Tab-separated table of all heavy atoms in Angstrom:
chain	number	residue	atom	x	y	z
A	14	SER	N	-9.352	-19.375	1.034
A	14	SER	CA	-10.105	-20.052	-0.042
A	14	SER	C	-9.929	-19.397	-1.399
A	14	SER	O	-9.273	-18.266	-1.503
A	14	SER	CB	-11.584	-20.032	0.328
A	14	SER	OG	-12.108	-18.683	0.313
A	15	TYR	N	-10.418	-20.044	-2.416
A	15	TYR	CA	-10.259	-19.469	-3.759
A	15	TYR	C	-10.812	-18.091	-3.936
A	15	TYR	O	-10.223	-17.194	-4.441
A	15	TYR	CB	-10.764	-20.435	-4.826
A	15	TYR	CG	-10.408	-20.012	-6.225
A	15	TYR	CD1	-9.082	-20.036	-6.656
A	15	TYR	CD2	-11.406	-19.635	-7.153
A	15	TYR	CE1	-8.771	-19.641	-7.982
A	15	TYR	CE2	-11.114	-19.243	-8.439
A	15	TYR	CZ	-9.788	-19.245	-8.861
A	15	TYR	OH	-9.471	-18.863	-10.113
A	16	PRO	N	-12.095	-17.853	-3.437
A	16	PRO	CA	-12.689	-16.501	-3.515
A	16	PRO	C	-11.839	-15.509	-2.694
A	16	PRO	O	-11.656	-14.359	-3.140
A	16	PRO	CB	-14.071	-16.681	-2.977
A	16	PRO	CG	-14.430	-18.089	-3.207
A	16	PRO	CD	-13.129	-18.860	-3.008
A	17	GLN	N	-11.378	-15.903	-1.514
A	17	GLN	CA	-10.561	-14.998	-0.746
A	17	GLN	C	-9.209	-14.717	-1.392
A	17	GLN	O	-8.690	-13.599	-1.344
A	17	GLN	CB	-10.311	-15.615	0.659
A	17	GLN	CG	-11.530	-15.690	1.518
A	17	GLN	CD	-11.238	-16.431	2.803
A	17	GLN	OE1	-10.472	-17.350	2.839
A	17	GLN	NE2	-11.947	-15.997	3.871
A	18	LEU	N	-8.706	-15.668	-2.068
A	18	LEU	CA	-7.451	-15.501	-2.826
A	18	LEU	C	-7.615	-14.461	-3.924
A	18	LEU	O	-6.742	-13.580	-4.126
A	18	LEU	CB	-7.023	-16.840	-3.414
A	18	LEU	CG	-5.729	-16.830	-4.287
A	18	LEU	CD1	-4.548	-16.570	-3.437
A	18	LEU	CD2	-5.582	-18.219	-4.989
A	19	ILE	N	-8.762	-14.519	-4.631
A	19	ILE	CA	-9.010	-13.537	-5.693
A	19	ILE	C	-9.164	-12.137	-5.077
A	19	ILE	O	-8.573	-11.164	-5.615
A	19	ILE	CB	-10.301	-13.936	-6.444
A	19	ILE	CG1	-10.071	-15.251	-7.226
A	19	ILE	CG2	-10.716	-12.808	-7.416
A	19	ILE	CD1	-11.323	-15.813	-7.847
A	20	VAL	N	-9.924	-12.005	-3.998
A	20	VAL	CA	-10.234	-10.702	-3.411
A	20	VAL	C	-8.983	-10.113	-2.757
A	20	VAL	O	-8.729	-8.895	-2.895
A	20	VAL	CB	-11.403	-10.824	-2.410
A	20	VAL	CG1	-11.599	-9.518	-1.685
A	20	VAL	CG2	-12.654	-11.235	-3.160
A	21	HIS	N	-8.260	-10.862	-2.027
A	21	HIS	CA	-7.187	-10.313	-1.182
A	21	HIS	C	-5.826	-10.370	-1.808
A	21	HIS	O	-4.875	-9.641	-1.359
A	21	HIS	CB	-7.103	-11.086	0.165
A	21	HIS	CG	-8.384	-10.945	0.974
A	21	HIS	ND1	-8.751	-9.717	1.543
A	21	HIS	CD2	-9.376	-11.803	1.277
A	21	HIS	CE1	-9.882	-9.824	2.221
A	21	HIS	NE2	-10.267	-11.097	2.069
A	22	VAL	N	-5.624	-11.140	-2.842
A	22	VAL	CA	-4.241	-11.281	-3.443
A	22	VAL	C	-4.279	-10.916	-4.919
A	22	VAL	O	-3.512	-9.998	-5.358
A	22	VAL	CB	-3.721	-12.731	-3.302
A	22	VAL	CG1	-2.348	-12.853	-3.986
A	22	VAL	CG2	-3.620	-13.087	-1.795
A	23	ILE	N	-5.083	-11.533	-5.721
A	23	ILE	CA	-5.048	-11.370	-7.163
A	23	ILE	C	-5.546	-10.045	-7.578
A	23	ILE	O	-4.830	-9.311	-8.348
A	23	ILE	CB	-5.871	-12.506	-7.888
A	23	ILE	CG1	-5.191	-13.891	-7.606
A	23	ILE	CG2	-5.920	-12.235	-9.372
A	23	ILE	CD1	-5.962	-15.059	-8.167
A	24	LEU	N	-6.662	-9.620	-7.131
A	24	LEU	CA	-7.209	-8.284	-7.543
A	24	LEU	C	-6.361	-7.141	-7.067
A	24	LEU	O	-6.072	-6.205	-7.850
A	24	LEU	CB	-8.644	-8.140	-7.068
A	24	LEU	CG	-9.660	-9.070	-7.758
A	24	LEU	CD1	-11.096	-8.759	-7.246
A	24	LEU	CD2	-9.660	-8.872	-9.267
A	25	PRO	N	-5.869	-7.092	-5.799
A	25	PRO	CA	-4.969	-6.015	-5.440
A	25	PRO	C	-3.681	-6.024	-6.206
A	25	PRO	O	-3.145	-4.964	-6.603
A	25	PRO	CB	-4.699	-6.296	-3.954
A	25	PRO	CG	-5.922	-7.008	-3.458
A	25	PRO	CD	-6.315	-7.893	-4.639
A	26	GLY	N	-3.167	-7.212	-6.524
A	26	GLY	CA	-1.919	-7.339	-7.310
A	26	GLY	C	-2.138	-6.852	-8.732
A	26	GLY	O	-1.203	-6.329	-9.345
A	27	ALA	N	-3.349	-7.006	-9.259
A	27	ALA	CA	-3.625	-6.580	-10.641
A	27	ALA	C	-4.147	-5.169	-10.750
A	27	ALA	O	-4.313	-4.650	-11.835
A	27	ALA	CB	-4.678	-7.536	-11.280
A	28	LEU	N	-4.341	-4.512	-9.581
A	28	LEU	CA	-4.845	-3.111	-9.614
A	28	LEU	C	-4.018	-2.156	-10.358
A	28	LEU	O	-4.559	-1.336	-11.158
A	28	LEU	CB	-5.008	-2.669	-8.141
A	28	LEU	CG	-5.699	-1.291	-7.971
A	28	LEU	CD1	-7.058	-1.224	-8.645
A	28	LEU	CD2	-5.719	-0.898	-6.505
A	29	PRO	N	-2.624	-2.170	-10.277
A	29	PRO	CA	-1.835	-1.233	-11.098
A	29	PRO	C	-2.118	-1.429	-12.609
A	29	PRO	O	-2.212	-0.422	-13.305
A	29	PRO	CB	-0.403	-1.643	-10.723
A	29	PRO	CG	-0.474	-2.184	-9.351
A	29	PRO	CD	-1.779	-2.965	-9.354
A	30	SER	N	-2.220	-2.662	-13.057
A	30	SER	CA	-2.504	-2.895	-14.468
A	30	SER	C	-3.883	-2.426	-14.835
A	30	SER	O	-4.131	-1.860	-15.944
A	30	SER	CB	-2.349	-4.414	-14.803
A	30	SER	OG	-1.088	-4.844	-14.574
A	31	PHE	N	-4.844	-2.578	-13.965
A	31	PHE	CA	-6.194	-2.092	-14.160
A	31	PHE	C	-6.232	-0.636	-14.377
A	31	PHE	O	-6.947	-0.085	-15.283
A	31	PHE	CB	-7.096	-2.523	-13.014
A	31	PHE	CG	-8.487	-1.960	-13.061
A	31	PHE	CD1	-9.478	-2.501	-13.832
A	31	PHE	CD2	-8.833	-0.770	-12.374
A	31	PHE	CE1	-10.802	-1.983	-13.920
A	31	PHE	CE2	-10.053	-0.232	-12.416
A	31	PHE	CZ	-11.047	-0.844	-13.198
A	32	LEU	N	-5.509	0.127	-13.540
A	32	LEU	CA	-5.482	1.590	-13.614
A	32	LEU	C	-4.782	2.026	-14.848
A	32	LEU	O	-5.176	3.052	-15.478
A	32	LEU	CB	-4.844	2.172	-12.366
A	32	LEU	CG	-5.656	1.986	-11.061
A	32	LEU	CD1	-4.864	2.448	-9.854
A	32	LEU	CD2	-6.973	2.783	-11.135
A	33	ILE	N	-3.744	1.360	-15.265
A	33	ILE	CA	-3.084	1.673	-16.548
A	33	ILE	C	-4.052	1.451	-17.680
A	33	ILE	O	-4.154	2.302	-18.605
A	33	ILE	CB	-1.803	0.840	-16.714
A	33	ILE	CG1	-0.749	1.224	-15.745
A	33	ILE	CG2	-1.293	0.926	-18.170
A	33	ILE	CD1	0.488	0.331	-15.789
A	34	GLY	N	-4.808	0.362	-17.659
A	34	GLY	CA	-5.793	0.116	-18.688
A	34	GLY	C	-6.880	1.169	-18.722
A	34	GLY	O	-7.330	1.581	-19.764
A	35	LEU	N	-7.255	1.654	-17.535
A	35	LEU	CA	-8.266	2.709	-17.481
A	35	LEU	C	-7.720	4.020	-18.126
A	35	LEU	O	-8.453	4.688	-18.833
A	35	LEU	CB	-8.637	2.986	-15.978
A	35	LEU	CG	-9.754	4.032	-15.735
A	35	LEU	CD1	-10.979	3.636	-16.459
A	35	LEU	CD2	-9.994	4.110	-14.247
A	36	ARG	N	-6.492	4.345	-17.831
A	36	ARG	CA	-5.919	5.549	-18.423
A	36	ARG	C	-5.822	5.410	-19.963
A	36	ARG	O	-6.131	6.302	-20.724
A	36	ARG	CB	-4.459	5.778	-17.863
A	36	ARG	CG	-4.465	6.258	-16.417
A	36	ARG	CD	-3.059	6.403	-15.909
A	36	ARG	NE	-2.347	7.482	-16.612
A	36	ARG	CZ	-1.016	7.681	-16.499
A	36	ARG	NH1	-0.343	6.998	-15.649
A	36	ARG	NH2	-0.478	8.664	-17.180
A	37	TYR	N	-5.423	4.236	-20.379
A	37	TYR	CA	-5.267	3.976	-21.803
A	37	TYR	C	-6.715	4.022	-22.453
A	37	TYR	O	-6.875	4.597	-23.552
A	37	TYR	CB	-4.658	2.617	-22.053
A	37	TYR	CG	-4.277	2.298	-23.477
A	37	TYR	CD1	-4.071	3.301	-24.395
A	37	TYR	CD2	-4.203	1.012	-23.882
A	37	TYR	CE1	-3.797	3.013	-25.715
A	37	TYR	CE2	-3.919	0.636	-25.199
A	37	TYR	CZ	-3.689	1.661	-26.124
A	37	TYR	OH	-3.397	1.396	-27.410
């Protein structure tokens, strides 16, 4: 479903960018 897609695909895929943003 769309919520599952966000939790299991989009957020893990965006995690590297999130951590770079946190460092910055």
Side-chain angles (χ1 to χ4, degrees):
S14 64
Y15 188 66
Q17 290 175 327
L18 179 67
I19 293 173
V20 172
H21 296 293
V22 177
I23 295 176
L24 291 183
L28 184 60
S30 297
F31 173 83
L32 292 172
I33 290 174
L35 182 58
R36 290 177 64 187
Y37 187 26

